[in-house]
Amino acid sequence: MPGGRILFADNDETFRTTRARFLTGYDIVHASSAEEAEQVLQNQWIHLAILDIRMQDDAEEQDVSGLLLAKQDTYRSVPKIMLTGFPNYRDVREALGPLLDGLPPAIDFIAKQDGPEVIVEAVEQAFARYVRINWELDIQSNDRHPITFPSLVMFMETSLEGELLSQRARELEDLFRGLFYDKSQITLGRILWQRMGHVALTVFAFQAGTLPESFVVVFGQHATMLQATQRYQTFAPKTQDKLGTVLNIRKETTHFAVNAYTLVNADLESVQTLADFYKIVPDKLFHTSLEYLFQTSLTAWHQNKKIPENTKTLASLYDERFDSISYNALTEIINILRHQASSLDIYIEHDAEFLKVHIYGQVHTYPDPIRVLQRQPVIEQPVVLFNTPGTLSGDNILTDTSGQIWLTDFADAGLAPLLWNIVALEAIIRFDWTETSDLRALYDMEHSLTASSFSKLDMRDIAPPLRKPVRAIQMIRQHATRLVGAELLPYHIGMLYEAANRLARFNPNAHYPTSEMVRFIHILIAAAMLGEMIQRDQQHPTAGKTPEERGIRIDPDERAVWVDGVRITLRGQSFDLLCDLYNHANQLCTRRDLVERVFKQVYDETDRSQINRLNTAISRLRDQIETDPGHPRYLLTEPGGGYRLTLPK
């Protein structure tokens, strides 16, 4: 059985060394002052500390330097035994007093006059009751994803090396041995994600006579992990234990802390990150997971609570979230990217106010996206905050083929703008998951995303490799319109900040492969187009549109159709069907009416082919005129076998 490491701190060297000889089987680290003891606690992994209350002057009653060290919150996870040659009631009460969270300053209080057997017994009890490390735990690593504790530490503290790295690795290993104290074996699975000094991996735990258990274990540096835990406990919905991610066990050491989460109804071996899931499954399965995320997971977190933000603008809230954005650095980055673009058959000009893109023999002028951000775009509506799980990514969202979603990163949980998570998801798909190095194809995609109807995208000019992300974006936007309707300026502002945040990660001194350079130039072009949309929306806000612009308008002579002020293309039967419904707007049109007026057939209610043809035509028309065909605003189905085109009067 490995022995534990004990810090023995006392300015009386004779007492310290003689008592330490009785602590056989333990690794004793000596310190003669509070300062030395603190250095040990900072740099070494200590299981238990034995501290003299008076470590400066035994004769000075006011000397409580050891007690002050014991009370430091930084070292609260280390159990401590206090020593003194001059015990008094006040010191005992202060040392053993309870804390609301974590251990008290001391777990035991021993007079130096007591014999060595007292301190030996106190140490044994401390290891049994408070240290609680499973020295016999068999820790295995998945052969396909080999993991070592030094490598895990390097994810959190990249500059460590030598003995300090070894100490931290042992501390992290003991943290896992304590977390799974009642198990006989654990297998470290795969690393799911790493962010801001936090790492998440799957762990499978075994104990004879019980069913195997699986966990998503998130660990990181002590202070930031405690903050993440507090955010989860404060903001997570009460329904988490029924449909989501449940905090099962937590433990901490001096430098690290860990949370073990249980995923409700999950087979952790078949669960995948949303990023991996997106790559391998058909659109339908991916869209099912997105629907669950929006309708179940995020809805539960929002808790139907709207909190008005009266002191900050939407732009300032995004500035706080993306505090790494430096506008001066972005200017330098844009100049580098525009030079790189010329080698990829796209020429970009940039000055103080505009960014010009030369493509397809034409010049497209956009406002400088940096200037748009610096001018802090303003929306007329008050900013509303909702409870959110924090920053979502393709790696910290887990799913499976059933479509259920599990969230795993709560470091930023709390209040955020309504569209925060939805905008982030589109940005991930739009900027991170597009798989092409064809800048012209990416330009066409961005043109469709910014020039088409917001949630009914024109995909005719979209290259085949980009149709999957565009279809996913369309679904995300359909959900956004359910939340905010036609008030889209907040969405575009959020997307511009997402683009700028990615541009800010560009390293001017690094060498990038062509595919990654294309990605950054794509984001720059997207940012310019978004800046143009924001300026246009501010000059012509949706809220100022007339009722006619917010509905449907038809010019039968030109065979032209406008939906919410945006012209769309309808051909053949779809145009004829809409015209008939438009001419009978706000009236019930029966199946008989439509078959006879549009199809020019005698209606036969027993003819299933007529009904199927009409159903198909209605479905196709909804796809073309509704922002969310599953929740139509205009073309409604009426009970009893008819339809109604509902338009503003």
Side-chain angles (χ1 to χ4, degrees):
M1 175 187 297
R5 173 171 281 201
I6 299 174
L7 166 63
F8 202 141
D10 193 324
N11 60 338
D12 184 341
E13 183 178 0
T14 302
F15 176 85
R16 173 165 39 86
T17 54
T18 54
R19 287 294 191 270
R21 293 194 190 102
F22 290 91
L23 298 174
T24 57
Y26 300 99
D27 182 9
I28 308 298
V29 181
H30 291 267
S32 60
S33 67
E35 292 75 19
E36 283 185 24
E38 185 165 10
Q39 283 293 315
V40 171
L41 289 170
Q42 285 179 353
N43 297 315
Q44 299 190 40
W45 168 223
I46 297 297
H47 296 103
L48 175 70
I50 302 173
L51 306 176
D52 185 13
I53 285 184
R54 300 182 185 179
M55 279 197 275
Q56 293 177 347
D57 185 351
D58 286 339
E60 175 55 61
E61 186 176 348
Q62 301 301 316
D63 178 14
V64 288
S65 52
L67 182 57
L68 292 176
L69 176 61
K71 292 171 65 177
Q72 286 195 37
D73 191 59
T74 304
Y75 313 116
R76 68 176 186 171
S77 63
V78 179
K80 305 170 194 73
I81 297 173
M82 303 306 299
L83 297 172
T84 186
F86 309 92
N88 64 68
Y89 177 75
R90 184 197 65 190
D91 290 341
V92 173
R93 182 180 62 184
E94 192 169 352
L96 300 180
L99 293 180
L100 293 177
D101 189 17
L103 295 172
I107 59 170
D108 207 345
F109 196 100
I110 297 175
K112 287 186 174 182
Q113 294 87 342
D114 293 333
E117 70 281 358
V118 175
I119 197 169
V120 170
E121 182 181 358
V123 167
E124 290 175 351
Q125 290 183 357
F127 269 86
R129 294 181 58 188
Y130 297 102
V131 178
R132 288 177 59 84
I133 291 179
N134 184 350
W135 306 109
E136 304 298 330
L137 180 67
D138 181 14
I139 301 178
Q140 298 289 327
S141 181
N142 190 317
D143 290 339
R144 291 178 298 171
H145 309 279
I147 294 173
T148 65
F149 285 103
S151 66
L152 293 178
V153 171
M154 290 297 290
F155 282 128
M156 298 178 285
E157 300 184 70
T158 57
S159 62
L160 292 183
E161 57 185 5
E163 178 60 23
L164 192 54
L165 174 60
S166 177
Q167 289 282 340
R168 292 289 195 275
R170 182 179 176 186
E171 180 178 351
L172 184 61
E173 179 179 339
D174 284 353
L175 183 60
F176 275 69
R177 291 185 179 278
L179 187 71
F180 297 104
Y181 183 79
D182 58 347
K183 305 300 179 184
S184 60
Q185 177 192 319
I186 61 170
T187 299
L188 307 181
R190 56 198 163 107
I191 294 175
L192 298 172
W193 53 264
Q194 52 175 309
R195 187 178 76 89
M196 296 174 58
H198 295 179
V199 182
L201 76 159
T202 59
V203 176
F204 302 89
F206 307 90
Q207 177 60 39
T210 63
L211 293 174
E213 295 181 83
S214 59
F215 302 89
V216 170
V217 173
V218 181
F219 58 93
Q221 294 182 348
H222 188 275
T224 57
M225 274 301 300
L226 290 186
Q227 182 182 30
T229 303
Q230 291 167 359
R231 286 181 174 273
Y232 174 89
Q233 293 172 334
T234 302
F235 296 107
K238 293 181 174 59
T239 53
Q240 281 292 98
D241 59 342
K242 297 179 181 178
L243 55 86
T245 309
V246 179
L247 179 56
N248 193 287
I249 325 169
R250 55 184 296 260
K251 193 172 179 62
E252 59 186 89
T253 59
T254 302
H255 300 98
F256 305 123
V258 60
N259 291 341
Y261 295 96
T262 301
L263 306 188
V264 178
N265 299 325
D267 175 4
L268 202 51
E269 292 191 83
S270 62
V271 163
Q272 300 178 70
T273 66
L274 192 66
D276 290 338
F277 196 68
Y278 170 83
K279 295 175 184 176
I280 62 176
V281 301
D283 286 2
K284 184 176 181 180
L285 279 179
F286 182 71
H287 293 177
T288 299
S289 293
L290 284 183
E291 190 71 18
Y292 189 99
L293 175 64
F294 295 140
Q295 298 295 342
T296 304
S297 302
L298 292 182
T299 298
W301 273 84
H302 289 167
Q303 301 175 21
N304 292 321
K305 295 180 181 178
K306 300 180 181 180
I307 300 176
E309 171 54 72
N310 299 317
T311 62
K312 298 177 181 178
T313 65
L314 181 64
S316 65
L317 288 170
Y318 272 101
D319 268 334
E320 291 176 4
R321 289 275 180 166
F322 296 131
D323 58 2
S324 62
I325 296 177
S326 164
Y327 296 119
N328 290 334
L330 278 179
T331 300
E332 179 187 355
I333 289 169
I334 288 177
N335 286 328
I336 293 173
L337 292 176
R338 71 182 184 86
H339 285 300
Q340 293 290 336
S342 60
S343 64
L344 299 168
D345 296 329
I346 289 185
Y347 179 63
I348 299 176
E349 297 179 73
H350 180 230
D351 59 30
E353 292 294 332
F354 298 102
L355 188 141
K356 298 179 181 180
V357 179
H358 297 247
I359 190 170
Y360 294 131
Q362 296 180 318
V363 180
H364 302 272
T365 301
Y366 305 101
D368 179 359
I370 299 176
R371 298 292 176 265
V372 175
L373 288 175
Q374 286 179 318
R375 289 165 183 160
Q376 293 272 303
V378 177
I379 59 174
E380 296 180 359
Q381 300 80 13
V383 177
V384 177
L385 303 180
F386 279 75
N387 192 49
T388 74
T391 301
L392 299 184
S393 73
D395 295 326
N396 64 25
I397 303 171
L398 304 182
T399 189
D400 63 13
T401 53
S402 74
Q404 187 169 347
I405 288 288
W406 298 271
L407 307 178
T408 61
D409 184 0
F410 308 104
D412 297 327
L415 297 177
L418 171 60
L419 296 174
W420 168 258
N421 292 135
I422 301 172
V423 169
L425 282 170
E426 176 176 326
I428 290 167
I429 296 171
R430 183 173 180 173
F431 301 137
D432 304 337
W433 292 356
T434 48
E435 296 183 349
T436 181
S437 293
D438 186 344
L439 257 179
R440 291 173 179 262
L442 290 167
Y443 180 90
D444 290 338
M445 182 188 81
E446 287 301 326
H447 184 267
S448 175
L449 293 176
T450 54
S452 303
S453 172
F454 176 73
S455 57
K456 191 61 192 175
L457 300 173
D458 185 351
M459 300 194 192
R460 288 174 297 178
D461 295 328
I462 302 298
L466 298 176
R467 289 174 186 166
K468 181 173 184 175
V470 171
R471 285 192 292 266
I473 289 171
Q474 179 170 264
M475 181 184 179
I476 291 171
R477 290 182 172 189
Q478 288 170 356
H479 179 73
T481 58
R482 296 178 209 165
L483 296 177
V484 298
E487 306 298 337
L488 302 175
L489 181 56
Y491 197 95
H492 300 320
I493 292 173
M495 192 61 62
L496 179 56
Y497 272 95
E498 289 281 356
N501 185 51
R502 284 165 169 77
L503 287 175
R505 300 174 196 165
F506 181 85
N507 182 356
N509 299 316
H511 296 282
Y512 291 99
T514 300
S515 59
E516 192 66 7
M517 190 62 70
V518 165
R519 174 175 170 269
F520 280 114
I521 296 171
H522 161 216
I523 295 171
L524 172 59
I525 293 172
M529 292 184 177
L530 287 163
E532 182 184 50
M533 291 186 70
I534 290 169
Q535 284 195 351
R536 185 174 65 240
D537 286 352
Q538 288 188 302
Q539 294 167 359
H540 306 287
T542 305
K545 288 185 177 180
T546 65
E548 182 181 15
E549 288 175 311
R550 290 203 301 269
I552 295 175
R553 182 165 62 89
I554 295 179
D555 183 340
D557 296 331
E558 296 292 331
R559 295 183 69 82
V561 178
W562 288 264
V563 178
D564 293 334
V566 177
R567 182 167 178 169
I568 66 171
T569 301
L570 288 182
R571 296 184 176 88
Q573 190 180 87
S574 291
F575 181 82
D576 295 338
L577 178 58
L578 180 61
C579 281
D580 188 88
L581 291 163
Y582 186 83
N583 291 332
H584 300 85
N586 302 311
Q587 301 175 28
L588 172 64
C589 296
T590 66
R591 288 195 174 99
R592 177 185 297 276
D593 294 334
L594 295 174
V595 167
E596 293 183 350
R597 292 197 303 247
V598 179
F599 295 165
K600 310 300 183 185
Q601 295 178 350
V602 176
Y603 181 70
D604 181 356
E605 63 182 11
T606 65
D607 186 350
R608 293 302 306 171
S609 65
Q610 282 187 347
I611 302 303
N612 292 338
R613 183 183 177 191
L614 179 59
N615 290 343
T616 300
I618 291 290
S619 177
R620 184 180 296 118
L621 181 58
R622 277 192 179 130
D623 284 342
Q624 293 168 306
I625 67 171
E626 298 284 2
T627 56
D628 183 359
H631 301 80
R633 291 185 298 150
Y634 297 124
L635 183 46
L636 308 181
T637 301
E638 294 287 349
Y643 301 93
R644 187 188 307 271
L645 186 68
T646 303
L647 299 178
K649 295 183 179 180

